[in-house]
Amino acid sequence: MAKEYETVIGLEVHVELATKTKIFCGCSTAFGGAPNTQTCPVCTGMPGSLPVLNKKVLVYAVAVGLATNCEITRYCKFDRKNYFYPDNPQNYQISQLYLPICRNGSVTIEAEDGTEKVIGIHEIHMEEDAGKLIHDEWEDCSLVDYNRSGVPLIEIVSKPDMRNAQEVIAYLEKLRMIIQYLGASDCKLQEGSMRADVNLSVREAGKEAFGTRTEMKNLNSFKAITRAIEAEKERQIDLLEAGREVVQETRRWDDVKGESYAMRSKEDAQDYRYFPDPDLVPIVVSDEMLEEIRAGQPEFRTEKMARYREEYGIPDYDIDIITGSKHMADLFEETVVLCKQPKKVSNWLMGETMRLMKEKEMDAQDLRFSPENLAKLIALADSKAINGSVAKEVFEIMFEQDIDPEKYVEEKGLKTVSDEGALRKTIEEVIAANPQSVKDYRNGKEKAVGFLVGQTMKAMKGKADPGMIHQLLKEML
């Protein structure tokens, strides 16, 4: 009888914090700058330079800790993690080992069977990011960009409580949602502002002891994480079935080939020779500071969903999608304040906005149009100043360029022609040009009116109210 195996998974999630400057110096953290233009003696590890902690990093770390039910370490320190690598300019990384800022937290996710499952958080610590190595195959050399060196990170270390890829993705989505709602990071996996390392082992079902774990790196999308988990689970089971041992090591995932390969044997804490950083003073989180951060916590998704049900009366499906992104929820609420029409705002977000986002493969946080312009567009459509198809056409431009719809409609002459005399004249011409359709309608074919409405709209270049045309056509026929 074939053995059954259980997968045991824990994650180390690195989140780049949304501060304007780095963790220990005043250099910019903006993404996409030319190589080595956002650097100074501190973040390039020059001898004699001294780090000074950016207070905002501490505030964000505590806020994330409170939102994930952690105990906040009121007295904590930074430690030096020593290792030698070209992208690590000081030959050590400033991190936290002995006294991390947050400990013993948890988040609740929905498991595969629909039940709630609590995933434990072992700790959250603050640290600095390393630089970035660029391997130039053409020149056969490696180059280093230190712009990312010293960018502030928090590392969220889970307990080994996840059992499959579905739980891992649910946990990551929950973390991403909490952190985005806090404004602590944009959590864009493709830009590296959220990165997950997967620690995975397998064991025979029913056994208590953990198997030997491996750590997988280079996972920059939920799809890659899912594929890597499935592949590593199969690889480890195959080894055990063949009577071989799983080696504790760090592996790199290649998403193109769909396989991982060994990078190095897994180090233990002693290999890094940690010791308290002598250049940084200990951190004391006062009662006042803790209360101030607690008071500044936003309304999170669960409370928002309950309030939307009560306040706006929009369908649960809409609520679920809109609150799935802090940016989308803000856009919705601010537009409703301006136009007082929650259902119509929801319809625009759920319909055209979602369609264009899907088409352009965009995230909700990349939406550029303003609540003011969406409210103006709704008002134009409501007052029948423009018809439905023109409204959609204007929205597409607004989605791309955030234009003022009122000015755009005026400039392009897109206002609906509601002059009955002009409409009657056009309808008369359409009736005269389509005797067969007129005959069909008079012989009881209702569909013929639809054709004539279409021809009239064409003649009016889309700038008419189809309802009004329909009414006049029936009357004139």
Side-chain angles (χ1 to χ4, degrees):
M1 192 176 141
K3 283 180 187 169
E4 284 217 3
Y5 289 93
E6 180 180 51
T7 316
V8 177
I9 306 166
L11 294 189
E12 293 166 25
V13 178
H14 290 85
V15 176
E16 209 171 271
L17 297 176
T19 56
K20 296 222 171 359
T21 55
K22 294 184 181 182
I23 184 167
F24 299 122
C25 66
C27 292
S28 168
T29 56
F31 180 77
N36 298 306
T37 54
Q38 291 160 206
T39 59
C40 73
V42 174
C43 57
T44 52
M46 295 296 167
S49 60
L50 289 171
V52 177
L53 177 63
N54 179 343
K55 186 183 174 185
K56 192 75 180 166
V57 174
L58 176 65
V59 170
Y60 279 149
V62 172
V64 173
L66 291 173
T68 52
N69 310 302
C70 290
E71 297 161 14
I72 306 302
T73 310
R74 306 295 292 274
Y75 175 88
C76 69
K77 293 178 178 179
F78 280 101
D79 305 298
R80 287 188 184 179
K81 178 182 182 180
N82 298 275
Y83 66 95
F84 304 98
Y85 206 66
D87 64 5
N88 186 21
Q90 302 130 304
N91 286 326
Y92 61 81
Q93 177 193 27
I94 302 176
S95 181
Q96 292 187 301
L97 175 72
Y98 302 110
L99 294 168
I101 185 68
C102 313
R103 286 183 278 205
N104 304 323
S106 65
V107 296
T108 304
I109 62 161
E110 194 177 298
E112 234 169 345
D113 57 5
T115 58
E116 288 194 334
K117 180 170 181 176
V118 176
I119 306 296
I121 290 173
H122 172 67
E123 68 173 59
I124 301 175
H125 57 259
M126 300 176 282
E127 62 185 22
E128 59 181 347
D129 208 346
K132 188 178 182 183
L133 273 181
I134 293 131
H135 304 292
D136 187 332
E137 287 173 23
W138 191 255
E139 294 284 343
D140 192 26
C141 65
S142 292
L143 306 165
V144 193
D145 176 7
Y146 287 120
N147 281 353
R148 203 173 67 182
S149 176
V151 164
L153 300 176
I154 50 172
E155 182 175 343
I156 305 165
V157 183
S158 83
K159 290 181 178 170
D161 290 345
M162 288 158 274
R163 296 292 173 264
N164 55 45
Q166 182 271 333
E167 290 181 6
V168 167
I169 302 304
Y171 168 74
L172 285 169
E173 282 180 333
K174 187 69 179 269
L175 279 186
R176 183 166 71 168
M177 182 96 52
I178 289 168
I179 294 163
Q180 283 178 346
Y181 264 78
L182 284 165
S185 173
D186 59 19
C187 293
K188 289 183 178 176
L189 276 87
Q190 70 279 15
E191 287 184 9
S193 56
M194 185 180 192
R195 314 194 282 275
D197 297 338
V198 175
N199 289 288
L200 183 149
S201 64
V202 295
R203 63 181 174 192
E204 273 185 56
K207 285 209 170 172
E208 282 292 305
F210 290 139
T212 304
R213 68 186 164 91
T214 59
E215 180 183 22
M216 263 183 305
K217 291 188 174 289
N218 193 39
L219 303 164
N220 58 4
S221 71
F222 287 166
K223 205 195 255 173
I225 290 165
T226 304
R227 292 180 65 197
I229 287 170
E230 291 306 322
E232 182 58 13
K233 176 182 83 175
E234 293 306 324
R235 190 188 73 85
Q236 290 192 18
I237 290 171
D238 288 348
L239 283 172
L240 296 174
E241 289 284 298
R244 291 160 67 195
E245 283 187 355
V246 175
V247 177
Q248 185 174 332
E249 62 191 359
T250 300
R251 299 180 69 82
R252 185 179 177 84
W253 174 252
D254 185 325
D255 204 41
V256 178
K257 292 179 183 168
E259 58 187 45
S260 65
Y261 54 88
M263 282 169 70
R264 55 179 181 266
S265 62
K266 180 70 180 153
E267 303 89 345
D268 287 317
Q270 64 260 33
D271 296 325
Y272 290 118
R273 303 188 324 283
Y274 280 94
F275 63 87
D277 192 297
D279 291 337
L280 284 155
V281 293
I283 298 159
V284 177
V285 179
S286 66
D287 291 351
E288 296 77 35
M289 185 182 188
L290 196 57
E291 280 321 303
E292 198 181 312
I293 297 170
R294 205 189 297 276
Q297 297 286 80
E299 174 187 49
F300 286 105
R301 189 187 188 192
T302 318
E303 301 100 81
K304 217 178 251 304
M305 288 173 87
R307 180 168 66 82
Y308 279 21
R309 272 186 207 103
E310 206 170 296
E311 208 172 301
Y312 300 124
I314 58 174
D316 279 0
Y317 181 76
D318 295 26
I319 292 171
D320 195 47
I321 301 286
I322 290 167
T323 57
S325 149
K326 170 80 161 60
H327 184 71
M328 181 92 86
D330 288 347
L331 189 56
F332 170 76
E333 289 181 35
E334 286 166 32
T335 311
V336 171
V337 167
L338 295 167
C339 75
K340 312 281 184 290
Q341 304 215 52
K343 187 68 188 101
K344 284 186 177 162
V345 178
S346 169
N347 288 348
W348 276 102
L349 294 177
M350 299 299 296
E352 288 303 288
T353 305
M354 295 299 284
R355 177 182 73 78
L356 290 167
M357 275 167 60
K358 193 175 178 184
E359 210 175 274
K360 296 173 196 303
E361 296 181 344
M362 277 171 65
D363 274 348
Q365 65 211 56
D366 298 323
L367 291 173
R368 289 193 288 272
F369 61 88
S370 65
E372 291 76 14
N373 286 338
L374 181 54
K376 282 180 184 177
L377 185 68
I378 289 169
L380 285 168
D382 254 16
S383 64
K384 301 234 179 336
I386 55 174
N387 63 36
S389 60
V390 170
K392 284 181 181 180
E393 190 186 310
V394 173
F395 181 78
E396 280 212 33
I397 310 287
M398 197 176 90
F399 184 93
E400 288 280 349
Q401 300 164 29
D402 194 27
I403 46 113
D404 180 324
E406 288 173 355
K407 284 182 186 162
Y408 185 82
V409 165
E410 202 63 55
E411 282 164 13
K412 302 286 178 189
L414 295 172
K415 276 202 168 167
T416 299
V417 177
S418 48
D419 174 353
E420 198 177 309
L423 272 177
R424 279 182 184 275
K425 190 170 176 296
T426 307
I427 291 168
E428 275 168 15
E429 288 165 9
V430 168
I431 287 172
N434 295 280
Q436 186 56 50
S437 294
V438 172
K439 193 178 168 189
D440 288 347
Y441 172 70
R442 289 187 172 139
N443 288 335
K445 285 188 180 171
E446 275 292 324
K447 276 185 180 172
V449 172
F451 174 76
L452 294 168
V453 169
Q455 291 303 301
T456 310
M457 284 296 285
K458 202 172 173 182
M460 297 297 299
K461 296 190 171 63
K463 294 183 292 183
D465 176 11
M468 194 174 177
I469 293 174
H470 192 271
Q471 199 180 328
L472 288 172
L473 252 166
K474 283 200 140 180
E475 183 192 309
M476 289 164 77
L477 286 169

